[in-house]
Amino acid sequence: MTWVTIGLSAASLLSIAIVLTTVLNWANRKFHVDVDPRVLKVIDALPGANCGGCGYVGCGEYAEAVVLEHEAVDRCTVGGQSCAQNIAAIMGIEIGEVLPYRPVVHCGAHYPDRLGRSEYRGEKRCAAANMVADVQACTYGCLGFGDCVRECRFDALHIVDGLATVDYEKCVGCGACAKVCPRNLITMTPFKAERMLAVTCSNKDKGREVMAVCRVGCIGCGACTRASELFHLENNLSTIDYDAYPEDCTAEMLRACEKCKRHRLVFVGKPSPEDLEKAEPLEAPEVIKPDFHTTVDDTEWRG
Amino acid sequence: MDYALDIFMIAVSGMLINNFVFYYFVGICPFIGVSRRVDMALGMGGAVTFVMSIAAFMAWAITTFLLVPGAPITRWVGSLFMPAAAAARIDLTILTYIVYIFVIAGSVQFVEMYVRKFNPRLYRSFGVFLPLITTNCAILFACLTIMSHIVGVENPSEIWGLGKSLTLAVFGGGGFTIAIVIMAGIREELDLCDIPVPFRGAPITLIVAGILALAFMGFAGVDAGLRQAISGG
């Protein structure tokens, strides 16, 4: 390895580097693409869950829509108020208050409460069972086959004793469950507080018919409407006007809850301090068992 | 006629018999990563072929004129400092890996800038896989194969010129394109199938790639047969 060889190696590497640098420099200037820096800043401000709750395919697409097409800045349901404020600051505009939307299941009947249940041998899907008569007597209520559970990508819905139940600590508010329920039981409700009052029934029939199909359905007696102005009866069903929902729970609302003979006025939301205290002595399971099954297992073709 | 036969054999061998993906198993990263849809796979195959050709051309040029013992530029510079006979023996082939990586990285950057300006949709679909072509062993493999044919032979007439090197690069890239487009077609169908949960995603893709490699083994021995058929019969 003579000095000439070493010198030649160094010189050739250096000259190749210089040639490449020159060519790439020229190419960089010739092929320059202007990217609005605000797009990158908005992408940073977004949570990055790529859930599609805003209506766009991913956070990148929404960021470009906000910056280039003047899309509304409060479409991100996961980011909520703080994210909308950040994006508004980047875009240089002002926005009002943004409320988080969370799903409310308007049915409160578990398996024992439902009357007239018969054996269903079809595909274990709510969409399929909804088309067949007499799976259960109540044609408005939750079927419990779990279409919403399968749709949720954040493990926020579970079937508890036949009724779809929301875990509000995991829910991000993307709205997929509300879109997929074939009986339209789930509505996306603006949550002005951590726990909101909801009417957990969707049965629009008169009192006697309701009692024939369900042990806990709303009979449309109107006791809640007399206790508080928040409720009104629509189609024999008590309804809450969420636009007029107060920030703090009033005494009239609590009295309405007591007056309801069917106990359909329920507070839903993140666990309250009392619930957490009650759950403390309970033990959580240590072992998570894997659940190997495919969509084929849900179909029970009997030939 | 002999030369044309050689070119033809290199082309068929590079594209089908010794397919870069299914025989040598190089370039697996973009093969698995960009083979979700046929149009994107075609774009990636085209990009890899283009980069391979440019890189092979520059690799051949630099190796022949600078790195091998007896290369013109080295001999000329060396003769300024030492007797001509010794200058003809200066061997810079230790630089091949570094120089090839320089050249490949530079050409990939160039292609990335071009695609970003003139086809933004393709650029976004590539994502991180376009700069990954830089570290893609398929390109480096093509360049090193060319180098081995320039350096590792005793017989000077067997040294690969520009024609044979470019043929290997272009048709090797073509073979990669064939592989990735077939994979994309299969994966588009797989999206509609009911795959057991443990296999979804990468595992079933790798299994399908293995089956395809088995299928391409069927081409083994075709080069000998072709050579016999064309020159003998």
Side-chain angles (χ1 to χ4, degrees):
Chain A
M1 189 63 40
T2 63
W3 284 108
V4 179
T5 318
I6 296 174
L8 261 175
S9 317
S12 46
L13 281 178
L14 201 58
S15 48
I16 291 174
I18 291 174
V19 166
L20 276 177
T21 321
T22 319
V23 169
L24 284 176
N25 227 338
W26 168 85
N28 194 15
R29 237 168 287 137
K30 183 126 202 294
F31 297 142
H32 186 67
V33 170
D34 285 313
V35 172
D36 199 330
R38 292 182 298 178
V39 175
L40 298 169
K41 277 195 240 171
V42 172
I43 291 180
D44 275 336
L46 287 168
N50 286 321
C51 68
C54 54
Y56 291 89
V57 175
C59 296
E61 298 268 340
Y62 177 58
E64 282 180 359
V66 166
V67 174
L68 302 172
E69 288 157 33
H70 303 290
E71 175 63 82
V73 298
D74 56 353
R75 294 288 296 264
C76 180
T77 50
V78 181
Q81 170 76 4
S82 59
C83 178
Q85 295 274 18
N86 290 340
I87 300 179
I90 294 170
M91 294 298 296
I93 60 177
E94 301 237 344
I95 52 160
E97 205 202 326
V98 170
L99 289 170
Y101 277 71
R102 293 287 178 264
V104 171
V105 179
H106 292 284
C107 178
H110 298 91
Y111 277 142
D113 304 317
R114 297 178 196 166
L115 302 170
R117 286 185 66 220
S118 52
E119 192 194 352
Y120 172 64
R121 291 168 138 231
E123 208 178 312
K124 296 277 192 281
R125 294 262 161 119
C126 302
N130 193 28
M131 292 188 221
V132 176
D134 282 346
V135 177
Q136 64 195 29
C138 178
T139 56
Y140 300 90
C142 177
L143 287 159
F145 290 112
D147 276 9
C148 51
V149 175
R150 273 184 285 267
E151 200 69 12
C152 180
R153 284 166 41 200
F154 300 92
D155 191 31
L157 276 149
H158 306 276
I159 302 290
V160 175
D161 200 15
L163 176 66
T165 319
V166 183
D167 182 351
Y168 288 93
E169 295 192 298
K170 289 191 182 160
C171 175
V172 297
C174 68
C177 54
K179 284 187 200 119
V180 85
C181 178
R183 293 196 160 176
N184 297 315
L185 286 173
I186 308 184
T187 59
M188 297 307 287
T189 318
F191 262 46
K192 295 182 182 170
E194 290 249 318
R195 290 176 71 77
M196 297 275 284
L197 188 63
V199 176
T200 51
C201 183
S202 307
N203 198 318
K204 299 178 178 63
D205 289 338
K206 288 213 185 76
R208 201 181 303 176
E209 288 154 17
V210 175
M211 293 176 84
V213 301
C214 180
R215 294 209 173 94
V216 293
C218 170
I219 49 177
C221 66
C224 49
T225 59
R226 287 188 286 275
S228 163
E229 279 175 359
L230 196 59
F231 304 88
H232 63 276
L233 271 189
E234 234 178 74
N235 293 324
N236 305 302
L237 179 65
S238 169
T239 326
I240 294 179
D241 180 14
Y242 283 103
D243 290 331
Y245 195 93
E247 290 249 345
D248 297 311
C249 187
T250 62
E252 289 131 5
M253 284 161 61
L254 291 172
R255 201 166 71 232
C257 296
E258 283 167 43
K259 287 282 180 193
C260 179
K261 285 185 290 182
R262 310 285 273 178
H263 307 291
R264 275 311 92 214
L265 299 179
V266 175
F267 277 94
V268 292
K270 294 212 174 95
S272 63
E274 295 93 23
D275 292 330
L276 289 173
E277 265 179 45
K278 264 194 273 178
E280 216 151 305
L282 298 172
E283 279 181 18
E286 291 284 337
V287 178
I288 299 173
K289 290 205 175 55
D291 180 28
F292 290 117
H293 82 287
T294 75
T295 52
V296 177
D297 295 325
D298 294 327
T299 61
E300 292 179 26
W301 173 244
R302 301 278 158 86
Chain B
M1 190 52 218
D2 232 3
Y3 185 72
L5 177 63
D6 277 344
I7 294 276
F8 177 69
M9 292 311 307
I10 293 174
V12 169
S13 153
M15 191 173 223
L16 290 174
I17 304 169
N18 300 333
N19 187 297
F20 277 14
V21 175
F22 294 130
Y23 187 85
Y24 288 118
F25 300 117
V26 289
I28 303 287
C29 182
F31 173 70
I32 303 259
V34 191
S35 60
R36 281 200 167 265
R37 287 170 42 193
V38 176
D39 47 355
M40 298 308 171
L42 209 52
M44 175 52 99
V48 168
T49 309
F50 183 63
V51 172
M52 216 183 259
S53 321
I54 293 185
F57 167 71
M58 298 190 64
W60 176 84
I62 294 178
T63 314
T64 312
F65 291 106
L66 194 59
L67 299 178
V68 289
I73 299 180
T74 320
R75 202 164 41 189
W76 176 75
V77 174
S79 62
L80 300 174
F81 299 97
M82 47 173 35
R89 279 201 309 271
I90 297 179
D91 184 6
L92 292 179
T93 49
I94 48 168
L95 294 179
T96 47
Y97 282 82
I98 303 177
V99 167
Y100 289 169
I101 294 291
F102 268 11
V103 159
I104 293 169
S107 30
V108 167
Q109 265 298 88
F110 191 86
V111 168
E112 194 183 337
M113 287 184 215
Y114 184 86
V115 170
R116 188 168 185 221
K117 177 131 182 118
F118 292 112
N119 196 342
R121 201 170 143 263
L122 190 65
Y123 178 75
R124 252 188 308 191
S125 81
F126 281 161
V128 74
F129 287 102
L130 189 54
L132 275 182
I133 297 181
T134 309
T135 52
N136 183 9
C137 41
I139 317 273
L140 189 60
F141 177 78
C143 294
L144 288 175
T145 310
I146 292 169
M147 179 200 81
S148 70
H149 283 281
I150 301 175
V151 166
V153 287
E154 301 297 310
N155 194 348
S157 69
E158 280 286 336
I159 291 180
W160 275 20
L162 185 59
K164 291 186 184 174
S165 311
L166 272 185
T167 311
L168 176 67
V170 168
F171 283 92
F176 178 86
T177 309
I178 289 179
I180 199 174
V181 168
I182 291 179
M183 195 63 191
I186 293 180
R187 275 185 96 176
E188 276 187 356
E189 296 290 324
L190 273 182
D191 275 342
L192 304 168
C193 287
D194 189 27
I195 301 173
V197 174
F199 283 97
R200 287 187 193 156
I204 195 65
T205 310
L206 289 172
I207 291 176
V208 171
I211 296 176
L212 281 173
L214 273 178
F216 268 68
M217 271 174 73
F219 284 116
V222 168
D223 52 352
L226 266 179
R227 192 176 278 276
Q228 203 179 32
I230 294 179
S231 58

